[in-house]
Amino acid sequence: MHLQTSSSDASSALCTLASLIERLAHLLPAQGPISIFIHHNPLHAFEHLPFEQAVETAAGQLGREPYLSERRLRAKLASGRMYARDVELVLREHLGACAEQEVAGLISRFELWRAVILHGIPAAAGRELGWMLEETQALARFRKGAPLSALFAGEDVLGPELAAEREAVKSLWTGCIGAVQRAAETGACLSPTWVRHADWLRAVFGLDPDAWIHPPLIRFLAGYLDQGLAHWPMPGRELGIHGCFLELYGTRLAAWCGSWARALPCIVEEDRLHGRNEWSSLANSLQVLGVGESEWADYLSAELLALRGWAGIVRQIEERPDRVPVRELKVSLTGYLAVRLLFERAALEEAARRVAFAGSLAELRPWLAQQLRPLSPPAVAERAWRLFHLAQLCGWDASIVAAWTPDQVRQLEAELEAIGERLPRRILHQAFERAIRSRFYDAISQHVPERAPTRPVFQAVFCIDEREESFRRHLEEVEPLCETFGTPGFFHVAMYYEGVSDAHPRPLCPVAIRPEHYVAEVETGHHDPGRNGWRLRQRAVGFLGHNIYLGSRLPVRGALLTTLFGWLALIPLVFRVVFPWLSFRWRRAQEASFRPAQTRLQLERSPEVPPIGKYSGFTVPEMARIVRRVLEDTGLRDRLAPLVLVVGHGSVSLNNPHESAHDCGACGGGRGGANARAFAQMANDTRVRELLAAEGLKIPPGTWFVGAERNTASNSVTFFDENLVPPERRALFERAKAAIEVVRRREAHERCRRFDAVPLWYPPTAALAHVEGRAADLAQPRPEYGHATNALCVIGRRARTRGLFLDRRAFLASYDPESDPDGSILARVISAVVPVAAGISLEYYFSYVDPTGYGCGTKLPHNVTALLGVMDGAQSDLRSGLPWQMVEIHEPVRLVIVVEAQPDRVLQAVRANPAVERLVRNRWVWLAALDLDSGALWEWTERGFVRHVPQQGLPVVTGDSMRWYEGKRGFLPPVALGPGSRATAEQSGMHVTAGS
């Protein structure tokens, strides 16, 4: 159906096109620029579907993997990460009442499916199958896992003789061939259907128009979207993507695309002569290509997914221009599609000429479909191959197979078709998740809660990040009289932040929030005289470095600079590669020397017009609301200690394009130190305290808040505004700092057990030096593992998990159910915590199960382009997702969320947020309630909440964390730690000593 010429019909069609593009945009990665990497669910467009259906639908639509391969899942089974009973339980749930039905009068459906899923049938067809039959032992030896009844069917073949086994196997294969021939059924011939001309050309003639189009399109997009990497900005960017393209490619520049683009100047000139904008150009191209309105969705979807990464970044800049430095760019997904289709029309005209097709482009697809031969049905040997393996797994000998009737063969084949290729992976994946989930449920439901210190000497509020689980655990072991809490790491201070040395402001809050407030860090003016010229020195160094960078890339100036000063680059290079620890210390000293002695955040509202956002600073009532929110959500409201540390986190490493992916997800891929500092400054404000006191929330006058930031790569901790700590709290502050100094070493020691390059005998001091050097090592692809291994989330009081070793796998969000009579606080906490934690979990899940599809592959060939993302080598699609070096130790399981509250209260809170309710209902996350009174754990299922019955006792380790993990690699099960766990030991009857 072509677009009509009347203005009303054209307008209606364009409206349809606009709504369609808006809907298709959800198929694209929602990953922002790499400088503020945000963890998200790569399949957010499929969240309306149950998880298994969603990943399998996406696998077909996007060409990705839904689960780990059968081989890797069975490796989990062999290593003890899951058990056969887990597979059997999941399989019975899947089959339901059909489990005990007989198949072909030979075996129950459960036993047949169990045999196939536990052991698998190797896929083989065509020449591959022929090679396996001729060159391997497939027809000479029984497969591994086959029961004895299949190996030796009768007394005459019992014994070790290989000849007897070979004869039995060949007889079985011959019987399967005969059974298939007797069935005498041929499958229907199939013909593939594609919507794009390029796909038909590739299949029929081996021509690939995408290979022609993508190089110039990628170069154009990289230049147009550039955020400051290029020496000269692309001309015409003020015209939008489509307008800029017409300006550039209406000239002789089109000739540089290649001989295939000989028609491109005419196509571009036609758009210019008719004065088409991006919308009319796109509509016209669809009409020229013969794509009817009923095909728009499929066609444009395929076009967007052809360069999914570049299309995704175009969409992200269109929606959130505040997240990139160059915010005045005119960017739209419609413009991208219009340009792509102009390229495609030129390529298809050349392809039609090469295959001697004389018609119009609208007639090209039907003509190509006539040239393609239909696919052949499966051959007899391919059908027999599956039955051959099934017979071995079920213990059927050649005599049983020879007696199969054609109807029995068809029933068995139908059962194997029902199992298919994906179902075994689904069942094995669900069993694996069940094993991990069950162990965690057993641990948390049996752990005896530890009482918090009656009078804590200080308290520390961390991000919910699972990397803080180990830091908090070690801090509580070093200083038993402290208390720790967890809350989203932006501490509910949503702002655009510009540090004193930053080039431009950046948002520090979850990506779903668009900040309204701008906050700048400014020099207070009370600094040492010797450092008065710090800003001048900083600008001079920056100016010099920028010009050297640009000059080194110009022919004449670059040659001169390299000749005169190139040797100087060897000095830092050698230190960064050979002595990274010294390089780290030197770099920290240099950074300190180029910062003012004292700075302050401009938090208070001012009438100045901000460079971004609506307001400069916050009003006092706004500050009070932020402080109240955090104190109420964490349960700190009525039990504040004299000193409260507010600790954000970030990650600083060298030569790491994915550095921001290690930063705080709750801060939108930024570092949370500024948010922690801002919160502490708000909470210390006497006006804020007076306003809160008037509302019934009293902060003791002797309580002092200190902001801090932890570098999760190097384990360094920076405290802000130390000079403002009151004298009466100085000794307490020094005590807290001393404890954290010890924790830095111990936490680094625990982390180092997952780095294969670190010997297990390293002491904590050496481990700290190693992680510091790792963050500064120029050649280090794994400065840290980020969120790898995340699997759990606990929303509740710290007493429920204090003293429980969770192996850095758990997000820990503080919530006190006893101070929340109506459940409103729980609803707030769940709405803030679940989307962030689920996004991180699902990003790691998909980047692991398909490292090159959903992930961005290995870091080795990556190059940063346009300061937006990475490409493989000099030119490729913009890679989204996580690199393999960040996820290689991960286990791909959905997040398990346990909430300390009554089941009905949890369900009420979940239903209050539609996005969270969708994640829970469709099993993108697992949800359980830890009963406040009985301590029983209830898991949410399709039948409602079902009580979990512990299957294993909780082991107890006498001592601290190091007594359990030291000398071990890989994943460790939860254990209870310390003398406070004796009650649990008596309850479970299990005790683990240091060497166990």
Side-chain angles (χ1 to χ4, degrees):
M1 174 180 144
H2 296 306
L3 292 177
Q4 303 299 319
T5 55
S6 68
S7 60
S8 60
D9 289 343
S11 176
S12 173
L14 290 178
C15 289
T16 302
L17 198 56
S19 62
L20 176 62
I21 292 174
E22 190 68 26
R23 178 163 55 87
L24 294 178
H26 291 286
L27 294 173
L28 301 174
Q31 178 178 312
I34 201 166
S35 59
I36 46 174
F37 189 101
I38 308 296
H39 293 289
H40 71 296
N41 177 10
L43 297 188
H44 59 274
F46 298 87
E47 284 182 1
H48 63 285
L49 300 174
F51 177 80
E52 289 80 7
Q53 182 183 348
V55 297
E56 291 170 18
T57 301
Q61 189 168 350
L62 305 178
R64 303 291 187 258
E65 295 295 334
Y67 315 104
L68 287 179
S69 65
E70 286 188 53
R71 177 184 61 81
R72 295 178 71 184
L73 284 166
R74 290 199 180 92
K76 304 284 187 186
L77 190 63
S79 67
R81 293 299 292 159
M82 63 172 164
Y83 306 111
R85 68 168 180 266
D86 296 308
V87 178
E88 293 166 358
L89 288 170
V90 172
L91 186 55
R92 286 198 178 277
E93 289 178 4
H94 177 81
L95 292 174
C98 302
E100 300 307 323
Q101 292 178 357
E102 279 203 342
V103 177
L106 297 168
I107 191 173
S108 72
R109 179 170 283 110
F110 172 78
E111 290 298 331
L112 188 151
W113 284 46
R114 178 186 181 278
V116 173
I117 290 172
L118 280 178
H119 303 287
I121 295 177
R127 293 181 179 179
E128 180 187 6
L129 177 57
W131 181 87
M132 291 182 69
L133 295 175
E134 294 175 8
E135 303 295 336
T136 70
Q137 294 290 308
L139 297 185
R141 305 294 302 268
F142 282 104
R143 58 168 292 161
K144 293 181 179 179
L148 289 177
S149 57
L151 297 182
F152 303 106
E155 294 294 334
D156 56 326
V157 294
L158 285 176
E161 293 82 1
L162 185 61
E165 183 180 353
R166 181 181 291 110
E167 184 63 30
V169 174
K170 283 194 172 182
S171 298
L172 185 60
W173 171 249
T174 303
C176 290
I177 291 285
V180 171
Q181 291 173 336
R182 289 194 303 274
E185 274 198 355
T186 58
C189 294
L190 303 174
S191 295
T193 56
W194 296 292
V195 68
R196 297 175 68 229
H197 307 67
D199 297 325
W200 284 101
L201 283 164
R202 193 180 301 111
V204 180
F205 292 105
L207 290 176
D208 189 0
D210 281 348
W212 302 341
I213 294 169
H214 287 173
L217 180 56
I218 288 170
R219 289 195 298 269
F220 170 74
L221 289 171
Y224 183 86
L225 300 174
D226 179 68
Q227 298 296 306
L229 194 63
H231 183 53
W232 295 298
M234 178 179 282
R237 293 208 292 182
E238 69 280 359
L239 301 174
I241 291 182
H242 177 255
C244 179
F245 178 78
L246 295 186
E247 283 292 315
L248 294 177
Y249 285 82
T251 65
R252 294 182 180 180
L253 183 64
W256 291 92
C257 296
S259 60
W260 64 268
R262 66 186 73 191
L264 186 58
C266 296
I267 292 172
V268 169
E269 187 61 25
E270 182 196 1
D271 258 22
R272 295 181 66 177
L273 288 176
H274 287 83
R276 295 191 182 110
N277 59 19
E278 57 190 32
W279 288 101
S280 54
S281 175
L282 177 58
N284 177 68
S285 292
L286 290 170
Q287 181 175 339
V288 170
L289 291 169
V291 181
E293 190 170 336
S294 61
E295 298 176 298
W296 283 358
D298 291 336
Y299 195 90
L300 293 179
S301 170
E303 292 292 344
L304 288 173
L305 296 178
L307 278 179
R308 189 168 176 256
W310 281 107
I313 201 66
V314 166
R315 178 62 171 179
Q316 287 303 302
I317 298 176
E318 178 184 15
E319 286 194 314
R320 292 295 302 270
D322 59 313
R323 296 172 64 196
V324 293
V326 185
R327 293 190 290 272
E328 64 274 8
L329 271 178
K330 293 183 178 180
V331 180
S332 71
L333 198 57
T334 309
Y336 165 79
L337 283 170
V339 169
R340 182 180 177 88
L341 262 59
L342 292 177
F343 266 130
E344 186 160 302
R345 285 166 55 190
L348 292 178
E349 287 196 18
E350 175 65 17
R353 187 188 66 79
R354 294 188 185 185
V355 300
F357 173 72
S360 67
L361 292 182
E363 299 167 326
L364 181 59
R365 281 187 303 164
W367 180 79
L368 288 168
Q370 295 173 2
Q371 315 304 311
L372 188 68
R373 296 179 181 178
L375 300 177
S376 301
V380 170
E382 294 172 9
R383 294 171 62 184
W385 174 255
R386 298 199 297 169
L387 294 176
F388 174 62
H389 278 273
L390 178 64
Q392 293 181 66
L393 293 174
C394 295
W396 298 328
D397 61 17
S399 62
I400 295 176
V401 172
W404 284 351
T405 65
D407 186 58
Q408 285 178 310
V409 172
R410 285 191 285 271
Q411 288 186 49
L412 291 173
E413 287 187 319
E415 211 65 27
L416 291 175
E417 285 295 325
I419 296 174
E421 295 181 0
R422 285 182 182 163
L423 189 59
R425 295 165 69 184
R426 183 201 298 183
I427 299 297
L428 289 169
H429 170 77
Q430 290 176 339
F432 178 51
E433 286 191 322
R434 184 189 187 96
I436 301 298
R437 205 164 65 246
S438 179
R439 291 174 187 176
F440 174 53
Y441 287 162
D442 288 351
I444 197 168
S445 61
Q446 296 181 78
H447 180 57
V448 176
E450 288 192 12
R451 291 185 178 182
T454 307
R455 297 176 60 86
V457 293
F458 68 87
Q459 294 162 326
V461 184
F462 293 87
C463 180
I464 63 172
D465 194 302
E466 83 288 352
R467 288 171 292 180
E468 306 291 11
E469 184 271 330
S470 56
F471 202 88
R472 292 173 60 180
R473 174 166 30 87
H474 285 290
L475 181 59
E476 291 162 349
E477 290 172 355
V478 171
E479 181 53 88
L481 293 180
C482 83
E483 250 188 316
T484 67
F485 299 83
T487 194
F490 74 115
F491 303 102
H492 297 282
V493 184
M495 62 181 175
Y496 291 107
Y497 172 74
E498 185 171 8
V500 72
S501 58
D502 291 343
H504 54 81
R506 62 183 298 164
L508 291 180
C509 58
V511 67
I513 300 175
R514 190 183 290 252
E516 295 184 342
H517 303 83
Y518 166 79
V519 173
E521 180 189 21
V522 296
E523 184 183 4
T524 60
H526 304 293
H527 45 69
D528 297 334
R531 299 180 58 159
N532 284 343
W534 75 272
R535 187 180 293 275
L536 183 61
R537 294 200 307 272
Q538 184 187 48
R539 288 178 177 173
V541 170
F543 176 82
L544 181 63
H546 180 68
N547 280 275
I548 290 176
Y549 168 80
L550 294 178
S552 65
R553 281 152 177 78
L554 297 176
V556 178
R557 210 183 309 173
L560 184 62
L561 286 170
T562 302
T563 303
L564 295 178
F565 305 108
W567 60 274
L568 291 174
L570 285 175
I571 299 173
L573 181 64
V574 168
F575 269 85
R576 289 169 178 171
V577 175
V578 182
F579 307 108
W581 180 77
L582 291 176
S583 174
F584 169 80
R585 292 302 176 99
W586 180 82
R587 187 173 161 192
R588 288 200 70 185
Q590 289 298 109
E591 288 174 353
S593 68
F594 280 95
R595 285 186 60 85
Q598 295 178 20
T599 62
R600 195 74 171 145
L601 299 185
Q602 284 186 326
L603 282 180
E604 192 167 351
R605 175 70 55 83
S606 72
E608 297 178 4
V609 178
I612 188 171
K614 293 183 179 180
Y615 312 109
S616 290
F618 297 83
T619 64
V620 173
E622 287 172 338
M623 296 184 198
R625 282 197 296 271
I626 291 170
V627 174
R628 172 185 285 277
R629 171 75 184 268
V630 173
L631 297 184
E632 288 184 343
D633 287 2
T634 57
L636 271 166
R637 170 186 180 123
D638 299 317
R639 46 200 301 267
L640 287 163
L643 177 69
V644 182
L645 305 180
V646 186
V647 187
H649 70 95
S651 182
V652 181
S653 52
L654 193 65
N655 192 28
N656 181 17
H658 290 86
E659 182 183 58
S660 65
H662 295 294
D663 284 332
C664 181
C667 294
R671 296 165 190 157
N675 302 75
R677 184 183 187 185
F679 178 85
Q681 189 171 325
M682 292 176 181
N684 289 330
D685 194 312
T686 55
R687 298 167 301 169
V688 170
R689 295 190 176 195
E690 289 171 359
L691 186 56
L692 289 174
E695 297 172 354
L697 195 161
K698 186 176 181 180
I699 298 176
T703 295
W704 190 257
F705 293 79
V706 178
E709 178 178 286
R710 180 170 86 95
N711 182 341
T712 56
S714 67
N715 254 22
S716 59
V717 179
T718 303
F719 293 93
F720 303 107
D721 303 322
E722 292 186 53
N723 60 305
L724 301 179
V725 176
E728 60 271 19
R729 294 288 170 257
R730 174 59 61 178
L732 194 55
F733 178 59
E734 294 300 328
R735 176 177 175 178
K737 286 179 65 178
I740 286 177
E741 188 62 31
V742 175
V743 171
R744 290 178 59 223
R745 297 192 292 270
R746 293 177 53 152
E747 202 276 342
H749 186 256
E750 179 175 340
R751 265 202 297 148
C752 280
R753 76 181 190 85
R754 303 308 298 266
F755 297 134
D756 288 337
V758 181
L760 288 173
W761 53 263
Y762 257 33
T765 302
L768 179 60
H770 176 81
V771 299
E772 289 178 339
R774 203 176 185 92
D777 190 344
L778 186 67
Q780 180 53 256
R782 302 170 182 85
E784 64 159 300
Y785 275 119
H787 299 283
T789 74
N790 78 85
L792 320 168
C793 178
V794 182
I795 300 175
R797 292 169 294 185
R798 177 58 173 158
R800 287 290 188 180
T801 53
R802 184 164 177 157
L804 190 63
F805 182 87
L806 295 176
D807 202 16
R808 305 182 84 242
R809 307 197 70 180
F811 298 94
L812 299 177
S814 294
Y815 163 70
D816 186 359
E818 293 183 346
S819 61
D820 183 27
D822 60 356
S824 58
I825 294 177
L826 179 60
R828 286 199 321 236
V829 171
I830 284 179
S831 295
V833 170
V834 172
V836 172
I840 293 171
S841 170
L842 292 167
E843 179 96 65
Y844 273 79
Y845 173 93
F846 289 111
S847 292
Y848 188 89
V849 298
D850 194 340
T852 58
Y854 291 121
C856 62
T858 177
K859 286 181 176 182
L860 192 62
H862 285 176
N863 282 311
V864 177
T865 180
L867 295 181
L868 290 173
V870 295
M871 297 190 303
D872 285 337
Q875 196 165 253
S876 78
D877 193 6
L878 204 65
R879 303 306 305 272
S880 60
L882 302 172
W884 179 247
Q885 286 81 1
M886 283 182 65
V887 302
E888 60 189 346
I889 65 168
H890 187 59
E891 284 187 327
V893 294
R894 283 169 281 178
L895 190 69
V896 182
I897 302 173
V898 174
V899 183
E900 186 189 8
Q902 305 294 356
D904 57 342
R905 177 65 58 83
V906 174
L907 195 57
Q908 175 187 341
V910 166
R911 288 174 173 168
N913 186 309
V916 173
E917 193 270 339
R918 184 172 62 247
L919 289 172
V920 172
R921 182 184 69 248
N922 291 327
R923 290 291 187 281
W924 292 83
V925 296
W926 297 97
L927 179 69
L930 190 59
D931 193 280
L932 189 62
D933 300 324
S934 65
L937 189 139
W938 300 78
E939 183 179 56
W940 172 254
T941 68
E942 295 177 354
R943 305 186 305 275
F945 278 103
V946 175
R947 182 166 183 171
H948 172 77
V949 179
Q951 299 174 0
Q952 298 179 353
L954 176 63
V956 176
V957 172
T958 302
D960 56 19
S961 299
M962 192 182 300
R963 299 293 294 275
W964 174 234
Y965 71 73
E966 191 171 24
K968 304 182 180 76
R969 300 208 190 266
F971 292 94
L972 295 176
V975 295
L977 299 167
S981 302
R982 292 193 184 97
T984 309
E986 294 171 2
Q987 175 184 337
S988 64
M990 302 180 67
H991 194 80
V992 182
T993 59
S996 299

